Amino acid sequence: MKAFTKLDARMAPLTMANIDTDQIIPKQFLKTVEREGLGKGLFYDFRFDEQGVEKADFVLNRAEYKGAGVLVAGDNFGCGSSREHAPWALLDFGISCVISSSFADIFYNNCFQNGLLPVVLKPEEVQALMEEAKGGNHVVTVDLEAQTVVSPSGAAFSFQIDPQRKAKMLQGLDAIGETLTAAMDIDVYESKRALSEPWLERA
Amino acid sequence: MSGKTLYDKIWDAHVVAEQDGEAILYIDLHLIHEVTTPQAFAGLRAAGRPVRRPDRTLAVADHNVPTEGQALGVGAVADEEARLQLQTLERNVKEAGIEFFPMGDIRNGIVHVVGPEQGRTQPGMTIVCGDSHTSTHGAFGALAQGIGTSEVEHVLATQTLRQKKSKNLRVTVNGTPGPGVGAKDFALAIVGAIGTAGGTGSVIEYAGEAIRGLSMEGRMTLCNLAIEAGARAGLVAPDQTTFDYMMGRPATPKGAAWEMALAHWKTFFSDDDAVFDREVVLDAADIAPTVTWGTSPEDVVAVTGNVPAPESFATPDKRISAERALDYMGLTAGQPISEAKVDVVFIGSCTNSRIEDLRSAAAVAQHAFLNGRLVAPHVRAMVVPGSGLVKEQAEEEGLDAIFKAVGFDWREPGCSMCLGMNPDRLAPGERCASTSNRNFEGRQGRGGRTHLMSPAMAAAAAIAGHIVDVREMLK
């Protein structure tokens, strides 16, 4: 997993609430057996019309937001399907941080497996960032170590994050490797359960 | 000290260790399918890690299988990418020694239909699958959650999941429902009441007289939609209904082992003095047959009601969303929802494709047939059973004959039009009465307009050609 430390990037505002993972990456892109290359399908129905022509007015297609690394989005971002293709698509497109007033659980969790930082700010702070982004100021600084987002005009917002998740994100740590350090505990647990619930042991 | 909730009990019984404030939670059953696993197996291979417990893993092919011609085998799947994904699953499970019901096997079907049907889903278990509707298995009093592909890889490698505990939310439905009202209506009414983010960070336990009165199929429908209320898992405490459903299934214990298991399962309930972080109470008598009008599962209205006006919503966010939803759905504020003419009817999905769902839809179809009515001429209607075994049972009961006689297409099992990864999908602008779980923009096909409802309501819509109150139709 790629580490996330500090990011200076353009931010793009996506004002809608309840953006679901079907919107982030539609079904036709889920047939891949790879993690890479999903950026082409990101927000596909928002970015392209039925003929596959770019919609000029969609935020990520507009010149001033090209190359955006941060998305500022409405409430309950990432609801719906558990598809990890959603964070993969965002990352592949170049977005490594999403700021919203809340995230759906599975999406939030999936972000941390991939080095995509989900930042929760207060609704009025998200609103303020969106206003600045719409107003033509685009470059925002997201500092995970300091747990701050600094807006283009210099307003600083601090955010909360689970300390363990933060530490892993900063170092890009692999969760499986860490869990396997407890392999002995898993062995012991399994032998106990094999005795207490023997019907679960299949030949 | 106060007592424990059902969720607390399952959680406590599965904590292997704590690391950095996270629990390492043991997983009893891992269900896998073709769409969310290829990258996980590739990750294992790259790191040289084996699958720890192939015997605790079960694989099916469901998300992108076609719903006709399955006997021809995977080689005949026309969509090249889908075919590659199906073949990749086949190769991966063979290499790891994981039990697999391939496309065309009578035991194959939608992962959340197959697990319970085979008796692999049992009370008190922890169950995961790379699919958000894994919450379905909570109907058996199992802690069942959807996970992403990195977590699939983690479970394959370690048979555990790293997690922090969620909060306890109890939704109680008291009383007795009126005629024509069932689990799907409860589920939609609950999502409408608490919102799509209402259960975020929580596990929902469903309780109350009306829940106890539901069959296992109904409880699965209810728990299936827990995720649409934002909760990763839904739970119903096991009872005699649960045990009766499970008895004699291929993977349930037999003889003395059954008795031993039964005693264990009966310990999974919330103590009387257990404390919930939040409680929501509804009365079944207040719930009408319910449908969605918008593009979020929380956009619900009684079938007797009208499409709401955007101004009626409390926040600017919601007003904007409602306007956008009305525009997308091609509806006008204030119009009766029953005026909405449908082009397509889909009966199927992990929400509503079990035998009881098909029976309730077939009863409406049969009633229509006996009154000289068929599927409306402008409607394309299909029934997709949840598994090969559901299909076989329905055929033994003659349900397929009823459906076909009134003009429904009778298909082969799979996720089908619920998410349209296979060839079954809506054309732009088409309106669909669907028994599935998500009415998101484009979910069933780009530009497609989805109205969620129960199997009986969907069957009634097929006959009437528009959304209709099934109670009126059966009069």
Side-chain angles (χ1 to χ4, degrees), chain A residues 85-100:
Chain A
H85 308 69
W88 295 340
L90 286 161
L91 284 166
D92 193 56
F93 193 81
I95 292 166
S96 50
C97 173
V98 182
I99 301 173
S100 177

Side-chain angles (χ1 to χ4, degrees), chain B residues 180-463:
Chain B
V181 176
K184 185 65 168 280
D185 306 298
F186 292 0
L188 290 173
I190 291 165
V191 181
I194 70 175
T196 50
T200 301
S202 303
V203 164
I204 300 179
E205 180 175 347
Y206 298 98
E209 188 190 351
I211 306 299
R212 288 280 139 234
L214 291 175
S215 65
M216 288 316 294
E217 285 87 347
R219 294 178 191 182
M220 284 188 255
T221 301
L222 188 68
C223 290
N224 177 276
L225 289 165
I227 184 68
E228 306 318 326
R232 269 182 101 160
L235 286 168
V236 176
D239 59 13
Q240 199 54 45
T241 304
T242 320
F243 309 137
D244 290 345
Y245 176 96
M246 293 177 65
M247 196 161 188
R249 293 192 179 264
T252 49
K254 312 286 182 309
W258 170 265
E259 294 305 323
M260 191 182 183
L262 196 59
H264 173 70
W265 295 336
K266 285 182 176 172
T267 63
F268 290 100
F269 57 88
S270 286
D271 295 330
D272 288 340
D273 57 345
V275 178
F276 287 81
D277 299 289
R278 190 178 160 210
E279 300 249 20
V280 174
V281 181
L282 280 81
D283 195 320
D286 298 338
I287 299 171
T290 302
V291 301
T292 59
W293 58 266
T295 54
S296 164
E298 69 185 24
D299 297 339
V300 301
V301 63
V303 67
T304 50
N306 300 333
V307 175
E311 308 83 76
S312 66
F313 291 89
T315 63
D317 253 21
K318 298 254 177 199
R319 285 196 282 274
I320 292 166
S321 296
E323 268 168 37
R324 186 183 161 95
L326 287 184
D327 181 52
Y328 181 86
M329 294 297 291
L331 296 171
T332 313
Q335 80 175 103
I337 191 68
S338 61
E339 277 179 3
K341 200 170 152 188
V342 301
D343 308 295
V344 178
V345 171
F346 171 63
I347 297 176
S349 87
C350 59
T351 313
N352 282 125
S353 64
R354 297 176 185 84
I355 190 68
E356 190 184 84
D357 301 317
L358 303 192
R359 283 182 193 140
S360 84
V364 175
Q366 186 184 40
H367 182 272
F369 186 75
L370 295 176
N371 287 282
R373 299 184 72 180
L374 303 173
V375 168
H378 67 276
V379 173
R380 175 162 61 101
M382 65 196 291
V383 182
V384 182
S387 70
L389 287 166
V390 169
K391 181 168 182 279
E392 183 186 59
Q393 189 178 350
E395 287 169 357
E396 276 168 13
E397 295 180 16
L399 307 184
D400 62 320
I402 297 171
F403 284 124
K404 287 189 264 191
V406 296
F408 278 91
D409 218 359
W410 179 249
R411 309 297 283 247
E412 293 172 345
C415 298
S416 181
M417 201 186 275
C418 173
L419 80 168
M421 274 192 78
N422 77 344
D424 309 332
R425 52 185 92 105
L426 298 179
E430 276 189 327
R431 187 179 301 285
C432 178
S434 179
T435 66
S436 57
N437 40 59
R438 290 192 174 129
N439 51 346
F440 297 158
E441 279 184 31
R443 168 82 175 181
Q444 295 190 293
R446 186 170 184 151
R449 295 160 168 168
T450 305
H451 295 274
L452 303 175
M453 60 191 76
S454 71
M457 285 282 288
I463 305 295

Side-chain angles (χ1 to χ4, degrees), chain A residues 31 48 84 109 162 190, chain B residues 26 79 150-151 164 446:
Chain A
K31 293 176 192 165
F48 301 98
E84 199 162 316
N109 210 49
D162 177 81
E190 278 183 338
Chain B
Y26 195 76
D79 182 331
S150 295
E151 289 177 320
K164 286 206 163 177
R446 186 170 184 151

